[in-house]
Amino acid sequence: MLIKNISILQGSELDFVLRTNVKIENNNFKKIQSKIQPDTNEESIDGEGLLLIPGFINAHTHIGDSIGKDFTLNSSVDEKIHPVFGAKSRILKNTSQENLSNFMKNTCHSMLRKGITTFVDFREGGLDGVILLKKVLSDIPIRSIILGRLEFYQKSTEIKKNQPFPVNKLADLDALLKQCDGIGVSGANENSTLVLDQYSKTTKLRAIHASETEQSVSTSKKVTGKSETIRALSMKPHFLVHMTFASKSDLHSTAKKTQGIVICPRANSSLAEGIPDIVSMQKAGCVLALGTDNVMINSPDMFREMDFLWKATMGIHKKRIEPKEILKMATVNGGKVLKKNIGIIESGKIADCILIDKHALDLEPMHNPHASIVHRASESAIRAVMIGGKIVYGKI
């Protein structure tokens, strides 16, 4: 496929190119330059009036709770989402697989329409939960990274005693990892150091929630005498999620020992827990990606995520932040954190992208493309979504 006369946000810095041609071959961006002639019988498309941007990477979701939207608005964080006794846990256990499946499918279609080409799901429910999500995705052309989880949580007394990973659970862990892309652990406060060490020995992608709330940070200090983030890092995760209440020393350790942090600002705010301090995170050298978190408390919309983060951060810090930095968190940085060839328009990278109508009512005239995408664009501005070089939603 050759797309001619199109504007693009190119490379790791999302450089704006007003007009160029983009050749796509074997699922990848093959060549990007102003003068390319189509091969014989190659499909050629005129991209006049369109802006090609990388597909959004929603780097942290829990789509299993899609059936419980706004079910517990006035509850505390633990009452809402605690993995053992929270309302979310009860909903998941008491809902039929068929109902869960239907609403998870709805969420996947919603993400596609909003330009999300890859999502990373912390999948509850053990092996059955992973298999259910894979079944849901079997006929939906969205890219997924499934991080499974054992339904195994320790009490504070067991953590204080540093009780090890049960031998009878090792086979369950092996079976789980054979079916998914890695593990997504609930948090250090539900696992002893020996259990976290056991998880660190797994060979697939590893991630864990950390320092999401003031209570979780306090609990870790009270039970173990250690920082929750430092305990989470003992699992040797490839990335951490949230870090809303991480200290500066926590952030420096994270920058040295992981591929990055996935932040979920709207979800944190929905839980009345503040928003992550991206200025401090960036100063510490952390690579930041964006996620929308639980569907139960938040919509899977990266446009809204970027808009909220950009303006709330500037309001709190009273200083300007380049919108390009926010857009990178939704695209380029997601690819970096995951170590995947996605989130970037560059020769040799996977052709996952969004075609934006530059003449959309809310965007024209587009004087600053990065700002336009971050705080003016919405689902309505999307002309088409492409995954692996194929149009999966909309049309050109």
Side-chain angles (χ1 to χ4, degrees):
M1 175 189 295
L2 180 64
I3 306 177
K4 302 182 295 183
N5 306 317
I6 193 165
S7 299
I8 69 171
L9 297 183
Q10 184 174 7
S12 60
E13 290 302 313
L14 299 174
D15 297 317
F16 177 65
V17 179
L18 179 60
R19 187 182 300 275
T20 191
N21 296 339
V22 178
K23 186 180 183 66
I24 297 169
E25 189 177 289
N26 296 327
N27 304 324
N28 292 345
F29 295 111
K30 177 72 172 178
K31 191 181 294 184
I32 302 169
Q33 54 184 279
S34 58
K35 293 182 180 180
I36 308 175
Q37 293 301 319
D39 295 335
T40 305
N41 298 325
E42 181 179 26
E43 181 182 10
S44 182
I45 297 170
D46 187 359
E48 181 68 39
L50 298 176
L51 172 63
L52 189 72
I53 72 172
F56 294 139
I57 299 170
N58 191 348
H60 184 64
T61 66
H62 294 266
I63 73 165
D65 57 17
S66 297
I67 197 168
K69 297 182 182 79
D70 302 325
F71 183 73
T72 55
L73 281 179
N74 298 318
S75 304
S76 69
V77 175
D78 277 349
E79 287 172 334
K80 286 175 180 157
I81 60 173
H82 192 279
V84 179
F85 56 79
K88 170 178 173 171
S89 177
R90 295 197 304 273
I91 291 171
L92 293 178
K93 288 176 182 176
N94 295 322
T95 303
S96 72
Q97 299 278 285
E98 183 179 1
N99 273 346
L100 283 179
S101 176
N102 288 336
F103 286 96
M104 288 162 71
K105 282 184 178 182
N106 287 348
T107 294
C108 290
H109 286 298
S110 173
M111 287 193 286
L112 270 180
R113 294 183 179 197
K114 293 176 174 66
I116 295 168
T117 52
T118 297
F119 75 101
V120 183
D121 199 67
F122 267 43
R123 186 68 189 112
E124 299 94 341
L127 180 59
D128 289 342
V130 169
I131 291 172
L132 178 64
L133 179 52
K134 290 176 76 172
K135 183 178 179 181
V136 164
L137 293 167
S138 62
D139 60 352
I140 303 175
I142 192 169
R143 201 179 298 283
S144 66
I145 296 173
I146 303 173
L147 302 181
R149 181 191 302 176
L150 289 180
E151 292 302 311
F152 170 71
Y153 309 100
Q154 291 177 301
K155 299 176 182 177
S156 59
T157 53
E158 296 171 314
I159 294 170
K160 284 182 178 180
K161 293 177 182 178
N162 198 20
Q163 292 191 355
F165 197 87
V167 175
N168 65 349
K169 285 285 184 179
L170 288 174
D172 293 342
L173 180 59
D174 289 340
L176 178 75
L177 287 169
K178 286 177 182 177
Q179 293 293 326
C180 58
D181 302 294
I183 54 172
V185 177
S186 60
N189 289 336
E190 290 82 45
N191 297 281
S192 70
T193 300
L194 283 175
V195 169
L196 293 171
D197 182 62
Q198 182 66 50
Y199 284 137
S200 77
K201 296 173 183 176
T202 59
T203 58
K204 290 190 173 182
L205 194 62
R206 298 181 298 276
I208 182 171
H209 298 104
S211 300
E212 180 178 5
T213 68
E214 289 182 302
Q215 182 181 344
S216 69
V217 171
S218 173
T219 297
S220 180
K221 291 276 180 70
K222 182 178 179 181
V223 174
T224 69
K226 295 181 180 180
S227 153
E228 183 186 0
T229 297
I230 296 304
R231 292 200 67 242
L233 288 172
S234 71
M235 194 187 87
K236 298 179 182 177
H238 294 91
F239 63 91
L240 299 178
V241 179
H242 295 306
M243 298 290 280
T244 317
F245 292 94
S247 68
K248 288 184 179 180
S249 62
D250 286 340
L251 293 175
H252 282 287
S253 295
T254 300
K256 292 177 183 177
K257 297 180 179 181
T258 73
Q259 293 163 193
I261 300 171
V262 177
I263 57 172
C264 308
R266 282 192 303 144
N268 294 155
S269 296
S270 295
L271 295 169
E273 288 290 340
I275 68 168
D277 184 350
I278 64 170
V279 173
S280 294
M281 290 176 175
Q282 289 175 323
K283 282 182 179 178
C286 299
V287 177
L288 305 181
L290 271 180
T292 61
D293 206 0
N294 302 75
V295 180
M296 184 174 81
I297 58 174
N298 206 31
S299 59
D301 189 329
M302 296 292 277
F303 288 117
R304 295 175 72 176
E305 203 71 45
M306 290 188 294
D307 184 31
F308 175 79
L309 176 62
W310 189 43
K311 292 170 181 173
T313 299
M314 289 191 293
I316 291 169
H317 289 272
K318 298 180 181 178
K319 60 182 286 188
R320 299 297 300 176
I321 294 174
E322 284 297 318
K324 180 194 290 188
E325 292 304 308
I326 304 297
L327 185 55
K328 284 166 66 175
M329 295 178 196
T331 55
V332 175
N333 289 2
K336 288 182 179 179
V337 168
L338 297 168
K339 289 288 180 75
K340 302 284 187 184
N341 286 329
I342 55 177
I344 184 170
I345 299 173
E346 192 173 80
S347 295
K349 304 297 185 180
I350 296 173
D352 292 355
C353 48
I354 309 166
L355 292 106
I356 300 287
D357 182 358
K358 292 196 296 183
H359 303 304
L361 290 175
D362 292 327
L363 302 185
E364 192 175 37
M366 187 183 286
H367 297 298
N368 183 324
H370 304 103
S372 293
I373 299 305
V374 166
H375 83 136
R376 295 186 188 276
S378 65
E379 177 182 348
S380 64
I382 294 177
R383 181 78 67 82
V385 177
M386 178 181 290
I387 296 180
K390 297 179 181 178
I391 299 294
V392 296
Y393 171 71
K395 60 182 180 180
I396 306 176

